[in-house]
Amino acid sequence: MMIVKFKRNIYIYLIFLVALLTGNIAVSEAQVTFKATAPASVVEGEQFRLSYVLNQEGRDLRLPDLSDFDILFGPSTSTSFSQRTINGKTTSERSVTYTYILVAKTTGTYTIGPASISVDGANYQSNSLKVEVLPPDEKSSQSSRGGGSSSGSATVSDNDAFIRAIVSKNNPYEQEGFTVTFRLYTTLNIVNFGRIQFPEFEGFMVEEIDVPVNQQLQMERYNGRNYYTADLRKTLLFPQKSGQITIPSGRLEMVFSVPSGRSVTTFFGSQELMVDVNKTLVTNPVVINVKPLPANRPASFANAVGTFTMKPNINTTQLRANEAISLRLEISGTGNMKLISNPVVEFPSNFEVYDPTVTNALNVTSNGLTGIRTIEYMAIPRYEGNYTIPPVEFSYFDINTNSYKTLTTEEYSLQIAKGDPGSITSSNFVNQQDVRVEQDIRFLKTGEPNYLSISNFFVGSLNYWLWYIIPFVLLVVLFIINRKQARENANVALMRNRKANKIAIKRLKLAEKYLKEQKKENFYDEVLRAIWGYFSDKLSIPVANLSKNNIENELSKNGISGELISRFMQILDTCEFARYAPAESDAEMESVYNNTFNAIGEMENRLKKSK
């Protein structure tokens, strides 16, 4: 028995020794995941894949009811395995994929229920899927595909690729949030992106909605034809005035791969040659009819439009004089949260009141800004006694009922006990509290008195005349300065020309921030905005009318050297193509930033010398 125990102990020690050498003492079982994937939209009669991915070995896969589809093939099983070691700990990942090829029978929206599989005696279910089956393209649209002529030229028609500006609401109320989405529609293969110029949203407060960078193309039917779509930009807008507001057109340069009309013979047979074609896509301008808010606004209307709730909280109602009291209002809901005015809290007159502090915890959604706006009011009572804080009212315009609603807090009764006189000095209190005329006790004047001779008269003295001359001279100088400034302000082009450098430097500072955060697309976007905006202000040309050709012509007229013009053109080309190229190194992005900064500075110096 002793020999058996000794051998068993040796085996245990050997197992622990091997575990220490390999760096694995404990092995944890991974959680079982079983996930189904399929396209969100497919075309009737076309094949698509339905895949189930399992991270363990399983058996007895049972499919849901697929009577709305024809199963052409499946299941095709593939297995992948990966292993990695981090800090001496080795982890492995394994996945098994079951793939089926399906064809939709009829158009409509169908739900594919969860499948089930058995792993180690336990059953697991996948997620369910929704698949929209679109009808095939209309016959009249088939001939609109971009193609080549007999001469080998190729073009991209307006029906093959375009961009739409889609608004969620065309007639919102003033301050009501709505979204505008710039969506790309294409039937062609995208090779590259060029310069993107989205429109300016004048008359709106703008909040950007995050769009996934590596989003998958979705299929959508539009005007009787099926397109692959991707959202390029999604923006939440809050109109700041009523009436008609136009969102102007945007512009996007893209490169597509289209058939050239020629073919070559290969080992696999005849194949059609493809060529790259540049296409400038222009978005449609959109007219927004903004309705004014009804005229019967309550006195407590806080410029709030949406749906809101208010939760008040006071830290105490019984305290001593010279101790702080805090009243916090939490306004939550969805709407123009950042534009809400602070409700008015009427503290007693002899309370020392401080400016409220505001904190926002907001999320940008398609329906508006959602979250909580916290407003904290602080006041200090200076005298003992019983006081009352009247109810606080918060009125907003409810977009669900198209009417004004008012939220009200309760009335707070405060009991202020006698405080410690040493907790605050008299000088601090005097600085915050005005002395009233009806008080019986006045302040005493201390210090040495000043005596005046009865033989000296102020009237007719030098100081007397200076009191008239100095204000008159200052009035004349201010009048001249005001007239000069008014003439300069009236010249809009001159003001934009003077501020062009400051605005460009401000945008480059933001680009430097993106450079440090490794946000490549945001960095190149901001550099492009800085350069295009700088030329627009300097040359007094709207951004929509700017092009590389007219920039070169205008700069040449102003005596700018061809070398400096070439530097600007090179920076523009680098930024336009680098946003969608593979990841740039930090040194290349920093070189673009430095070249842009130096080129604008050199431009300013040469323009000053030419003047």
Side-chain angles (χ1 to χ4, degrees):
M1 292 293 293
M2 293 293 294
I3 295 175
V4 174
K5 284 187 176 181
F6 180 75
K7 289 183 177 180
R8 187 168 57 186
N9 291 337
I10 290 178
Y11 291 146
I12 294 174
Y13 292 148
L14 288 175
I15 292 173
F16 272 99
L17 180 60
V18 173
L20 288 174
L21 291 176
T22 59
N24 293 318
I25 297 178
V27 179
S28 59
E29 291 294 333
Q31 184 179 1
V32 177
T33 59
F34 187 39
K35 183 178 180 181
T37 59
S41 301
V42 297
V43 178
E44 178 187 354
E46 292 187 3
Q47 302 177 8
F48 68 95
R49 290 187 179 184
L50 171 63
S51 300
Y52 296 94
V53 181
L54 179 67
N55 67 339
Q56 297 284 341
E57 284 285 353
R59 59 186 182 86
D60 194 18
L61 173 62
R62 297 188 178 183
L63 296 178
D65 179 22
L66 298 175
S67 58
D68 296 319
F69 305 90
D70 289 330
I71 302 178
L72 302 183
F73 179 76
S76 172
T77 305
S78 61
T79 304
S80 63
F81 180 81
S82 63
Q83 185 174 357
R84 59 182 178 177
T85 302
I86 301 176
N87 296 330
K89 184 178 180 180
T90 302
T91 59
S92 60
E93 295 181 358
R94 179 191 185 97
S95 65
V96 181
T97 304
Y98 305 90
T99 304
Y100 294 85
I101 304 299
L102 306 181
V103 172
K105 296 180 180 179
T106 57
T107 60
T109 301
Y110 302 97
T111 300
I112 300 178
S116 64
I117 198 169
S118 177
V119 178
D120 295 334
N123 288 326
Y124 295 89
Q125 285 190 337
S126 69
N127 56 297
S128 59
L129 298 171
K130 274 193 174 181
V131 178
E132 182 183 6
V133 180
L134 304 174
D137 289 343
E138 296 178 358
K139 296 296 183 182
S140 59
S141 298
Q142 298 293 336
S143 60
S144 65
R145 293 289 302 266
S149 63
S150 59
S151 61
S153 62
T155 59
V156 178
S157 70
D158 293 337
N159 292 327
D160 289 332
F162 54 91
I163 296 178
R164 291 179 61 207
I166 306 172
V167 295
S168 61
K169 186 173 292 187
N170 288 94
N171 53 348
Y173 278 100
E174 183 181 351
Q175 298 293 342
E176 180 185 356
F178 68 97
T179 59
V180 55
T181 303
F182 295 94
R183 182 169 297 169
L184 170 66
Y185 291 75
T186 180
T187 60
L188 306 172
N189 293 327
I190 302 173
V191 178
N192 201 353
F193 284 82
R195 183 167 64 94
I196 297 178
Q197 182 181 348
F198 288 112
E200 298 291 337
F201 300 105
E202 296 185 3
F204 299 93
M205 189 194 84
V206 181
E207 292 287 341
E208 295 294 338
I209 300 176
D210 292 335
V211 175
V213 178
N214 298 322
Q215 58 179 308
Q216 298 293 327
L217 293 176
Q218 302 294 329
M219 186 168 289
E220 181 179 329
R221 188 170 183 83
Y222 181 72
N223 285 343
R225 193 175 181 188
N226 299 316
Y227 293 90
Y228 288 101
T229 65
D231 292 340
L232 304 180
R233 184 183 182 186
K234 198 169 187 178
T235 306
L236 178 64
L237 303 179
F238 295 92
Q240 301 300 298
K241 60 181 180 180
S242 59
Q244 282 192 349
I245 305 179
T246 301
I247 300 176
S249 299
R251 188 178 298 269
L252 171 62
E253 297 176 1
M254 299 189 67
V255 181
F256 297 95
S257 178
V258 300
S260 64
R262 296 177 298 171
S263 60
V264 294
T265 302
T266 65
F267 177 78
F268 299 99
S270 178
Q271 293 185 357
E272 189 171 20
L273 292 177
M274 308 297 288
V275 293
D276 294 345
V277 177
N278 294 321
K279 175 71 173 179
T280 300
L281 307 180
V282 181
T283 65
N284 53 300
V286 181
V287 178
I288 307 298
N289 297 309
V290 183
K291 297 181 291 187
L293 295 176
N296 56 335
R297 301 182 181 182
S300 58
F301 179 63
N303 197 42
V305 176
T307 55
F308 305 95
T309 60
M310 183 173 63
K311 178 182 178 182
N313 183 25
I314 191 169
N315 61 340
T316 182
T317 57
Q318 297 180 356
L319 67 160
R320 295 177 179 273
N322 301 324
E323 293 180 353
I325 183 173
S326 174
L327 176 60
R328 186 171 67 248
L329 300 179
E330 292 184 357
I331 300 175
S332 59
T334 301
N336 59 338
M337 298 288 286
K338 287 186 178 180
L339 302 176
I340 294 176
S341 303
N342 296 332
V344 178
V345 179
E346 297 180 0
F347 289 98
S349 59
N350 58 356
F351 277 36
E352 182 178 349
V353 182
Y354 295 86
D355 293 334
T357 58
V358 180
T359 56
N360 291 317
L362 307 176
N363 295 318
V364 182
T365 66
S366 300
N367 297 324
L369 293 173
T370 300
I372 299 176
R373 180 182 178 92
T374 304
I375 310 168
E376 187 171 4
Y377 304 82
M378 191 179 75
I380 299 177
R382 295 306 186 186
Y383 298 105
E384 59 182 300
N386 296 325
Y387 300 93
T388 299
I389 299 179
V392 181
E393 292 186 350
F394 172 76
S395 297
Y396 67 95
F397 182 75
D398 190 348
I399 59 175
N400 294 327
T401 61
N402 295 334
S403 61
Y404 291 101
K405 291 186 178 180
T406 301
L407 305 176
T408 307
T409 66
E410 61 178 313
E411 181 180 272
Y412 295 102
S413 298
L414 307 179
Q415 297 178 2
I416 311 301
K418 186 176 182 180
D420 184 8
S423 62
I424 184 169
T425 61
S426 60
S427 60
N428 289 339
F429 175 70
V430 172
N431 290 335
Q432 301 290 340
Q433 192 78 15
D434 294 333
V435 178
R436 298 184 179 179
V437 177
E438 64 268 21
Q439 291 179 341
D440 296 333
I441 301 176
R442 305 295 180 91
F443 290 100
L444 299 177
K445 292 184 178 181
T446 59
E448 294 293 331
N450 295 325
Y451 299 98
L452 299 175
S453 175
I454 61 175
S455 60
N456 294 332
F457 296 94
F458 178 74
V459 179
S461 64
L462 177 62
N463 292 336
Y464 173 81
W465 291 110
L466 288 176
W467 275 103
Y468 289 92
I469 295 174
I470 292 176
F472 178 77
V473 173
L474 291 176
L475 182 63
V476 173
V477 172
L478 290 175
F479 177 77
I480 295 174
I481 294 175
N482 186 48
R483 289 292 301 274
K484 180 180 179 181
Q485 188 174 4
R487 287 195 301 269
E488 292 179 352
N489 291 338
N491 191 345
V492 178
L494 178 62
M495 295 302 295
R496 290 182 60 188
N497 186 290
R498 290 184 174 181
K499 295 180 179 180
N501 186 39
K502 293 182 180 179
I503 297 175
I505 296 300
K506 182 177 179 182
R507 287 174 173 167
L508 286 178
K509 292 295 182 183
L510 182 57
E512 184 181 14
K513 175 185 174 184
Y514 291 138
L515 172 62
K516 295 178 181 179
E517 296 175 354
Q518 295 299 308
K519 296 182 178 179
K520 187 190 76 171
E521 293 188 8
N522 294 338
F523 167 77
Y524 286 113
D525 285 341
E526 207 58 42
V527 172
L528 283 174
R529 289 182 183 178
I531 295 177
W532 288 106
Y534 175 77
F535 284 134
S536 176
D537 295 336
K538 275 294 179 183
L539 304 177
S540 299
I541 300 176
V543 175
N545 298 332
L546 275 180
S547 65
K548 295 179 182 178
N549 293 332
N550 58 16
I551 288 177
E552 292 181 1
N553 295 335
E554 292 297 327
L555 292 180
S556 299
K557 293 179 183 178
N558 286 274
I560 303 302
S561 65
E563 183 270 336
L564 182 55
I565 297 174
S566 298
R567 285 169 57 188
F568 274 109
M569 296 300 105
Q570 183 178 4
I571 294 172
L572 288 173
D573 293 337
T574 302
C575 293
E576 289 173 356
F577 289 97
R579 292 175 303 170
Y580 304 97
E584 303 287 343
S585 64
D586 296 344
E588 291 172 340
M589 294 172 65
E590 187 173 358
S591 175
V592 171
Y593 173 81
N594 293 331
N595 291 339
T596 306
F597 197 94
N598 294 334
I600 292 178
E602 186 175 347
M603 175 74 73
E604 285 294 312
N605 293 333
R606 294 192 181 184
L607 290 176
K608 290 180 180 178
K609 290 181 181 180
S610 63
K611 292 180 180 180

